[in-house]
Amino acid sequence: AQKITQTQPGMFVQEKEAVTLDCTYDTSDPSYGLFWYKQPSSGEMIFLIYQGSYDQQNATEGRYSLNFQKARKSANLVISASQLGDSAMYFCAMRVQGTGNQFYFGTGTSLTVIP
Amino acid sequence: NAGVTQTPKFRILKIGQSMTLQCTQDMNHNYMYWYRQDPGMGLKLIYYSVGAGITDKGEVPNGYNVSRSTTEDFPLRLELAAPSQTSVYFCASSYSKTFNTDTQYFGPGTRLTVL
């Protein structure tokens, strides 16, 4: 079975500080992709960053980086220099080749950036 | 550049009524998905489609039906609405020539209340 686990229901971070949002995954398929999405209070889903299971380097996109530890099956999102606009729900998701291109989502982490 | 569009944005149904949630994408994506998001929760896959004429069940298909007669459109049909179907519904699409590198693009969501 495929599963994504986000164990932090809520997180707080001081503005300009870095924060790590945890994500662990479970799949026996060797070919998969890991994604992070941001959902602000307005409700839309915004793609942030992607990591492939065969990628050797950790993905980075501006202030976002993905700390991929394959042996531990973790794909933590690191946001550097937090901004007030980063306050939102963050979802980790996995796409597994052997399951017909389904995406599996975690339950999300609510991030609040404190001025 | 419309991306993924959903109509309506909001809808209130009475128990037992039926309705169709519309979803259209203009990116020539072959994969399309319907999710529901209950308050404070992650996304659960209802149905998905890997191309015109092909659909498959996701995690929570009961009470819903879909069709995919064209690449662009993927309507979701609710028959005999129940209060348990009160949720926010997201349509998404992705293009996957190289499978798992492609993210999903989400529509703005439809907020449905069943009373």
Side-chain angles (χ1 to χ4, degrees):
Chain A
Q2 330 299 326
K3 190 174 181 181
I4 290 278
T5 302
Q6 294 179 255
T7 57
Q8 306 155 314
M11 292 280 288
F12 292 86
V13 64
Q14 205 75 35
E15 194 178 6
K16 300 181 185 177
E17 297 291 313
V19 63
T20 298
L21 306 183
D22 294 341
C23 173
T24 57
Y25 60 92
D26 189 19
T27 181
S28 57
D29 197 303
S31 182
Y32 53 89
L34 297 157
F35 302 79
W36 277 92
Y37 296 88
K38 173 183 178 181
Q39 187 178 42
S41 58
S42 52
E44 72 269 33
M45 295 287 284
I46 302 167
F47 165 69
L48 295 178
I49 196 167
Y50 161 82
Q51 179 86 39
S53 59
Y54 298 114
D55 294 342
Q56 298 295 316
Q57 306 248 3
N58 286 344
T60 60
E61 289 286 347
R63 294 186 299 109
Y64 304 108
S65 60
L66 201 154
N67 184 3
F68 182 46
Q69 297 186 46
K70 195 169 182 177
R72 297 180 61 184
K73 294 190 173 180
S74 74
N76 298 338
L77 176 70
V78 180
I79 305 174
S80 63
S82 296
Q83 302 171 356
L84 296 179
D86 293 334
S87 294
M89 283 290 289
Y90 289 81
F91 291 98
C92 181
M94 176 173 66
R95 188 180 193 185
V96 179
Q97 184 165 17
T99 64
N101 293 310
Q102 292 189 50
F103 280 72
Y104 300 88
F105 282 81
T107 51
T109 295
S110 175
L111 178 67
T112 302
V113 180
I114 303 166
Chain B
N1 190 5
V4 180
T5 58
Q6 290 183 239
T7 56
K9 285 187 168 51
F10 304 92
R11 184 71 185 269
I12 298 175
L13 284 181
K14 293 182 179 178
I15 294 172
Q17 287 185 320
S18 301
M19 76 164 293
T20 298
L21 281 66
Q22 301 292 344
C23 175
T24 300
Q25 53 91 8
D26 63 359
M27 297 174 282
N28 201 31
H29 285 171
N30 43 357
Y31 297 104
M32 295 188 75
Y33 311 80
W34 273 106
Y35 295 92
R36 59 177 287 172
Q37 184 180 27
D38 297 331
M41 302 295 288
L43 279 72
K44 293 189 176 181
L45 182 65
I46 304 171
Y47 272 96
Y48 67 103
S49 169
V50 301
I54 306 169
T55 62
D56 209 344
K57 296 177 180 179
E59 183 183 358
V60 290
N62 291 344
Y64 307 94
N65 279 300
V66 294
S67 60
R68 184 97 181 269
S69 56
T70 66
T71 299
E72 295 78 18
D73 300 308
F74 191 40
L76 177 72
R77 177 83 178 161
L78 278 72
E79 305 281 0
L80 299 174
S84 61
Q85 293 178 303
T86 294
S87 191
V88 178
Y89 291 82
F90 287 98
C91 180
S93 72
S94 68
Y95 176 71
S96 183
K97 190 172 184 180
T98 54
F99 172 59
N100 58 2
T101 61
D102 294 297
T103 184
Q104 292 181 317
Y105 295 85
F106 285 86
T110 295
R111 189 175 296 272
L112 176 67
T113 302
V114 182
L115 300 174

